Amino acid sequence: MKRTILLTLVSTGLLAAADQTFTGVITDTMCGKSHEMMGGQSDEKCVAMCVKGSSQYALFDGKTVLRLSDQKTPAKFAAKRVKVTGTLNEKTQTIKVSSMEAAN
């Protein structure tokens, strides 16, 4: 019985840590879903400027802004739609990124 419970807990833990796929637009943590503060600047330029400041790259999936652990790869996808594979830490709302690619 104890062994069955232990195996169940271990397998559940492994499943919880499995990579997921998230699709959305690369943004920054300051502007999030809207880049209206930059008035007249393109979304791509706004993201780049905010990240040069104190903001971080994030993914906006249409509902939630999720921080990204990888802060280098998103630079080439600023304001573009991407598919991110990784593990979400729900407590910190951060995706530990395994891979990132352009999405259709």
Side-chain angles (χ1 to χ4, degrees), residues 4-83:
T4 303
I5 293 171
L6 180 61
L7 287 174
T8 302
L9 291 173
V10 169
S11 64
T12 303
L14 292 176
L15 291 175
D19 279 352
Q20 297 174 278
T21 301
F22 304 87
T23 304
V25 176
I26 295 296
T27 187
D28 61 90
T29 54
M30 184 168 70
C31 292
K33 66 180 181 177
S34 176
H35 299 278
E36 294 175 2
M37 290 191 309
M38 294 303 282
Q41 296 288 340
S42 69
D43 288 355
E44 183 178 0
K45 194 166 196 160
C46 178
V47 171
M49 289 171 52
C50 289
V51 170
K52 279 186 180 179
S54 61
S55 191
Q56 293 182 326
Y57 286 109
L59 179 76
F60 177 61
D61 67 2
K63 297 177 189 171
T64 309
V65 176
L66 302 165
R67 294 179 194 272
L68 298 169
S69 65
D70 179 351
Q71 291 293 300
K72 292 184 181 181
T73 306
K76 65 183 176 188
F77 295 113
K80 293 185 174 65
R81 192 163 169 77
V82 296
K83 184 167 66 171

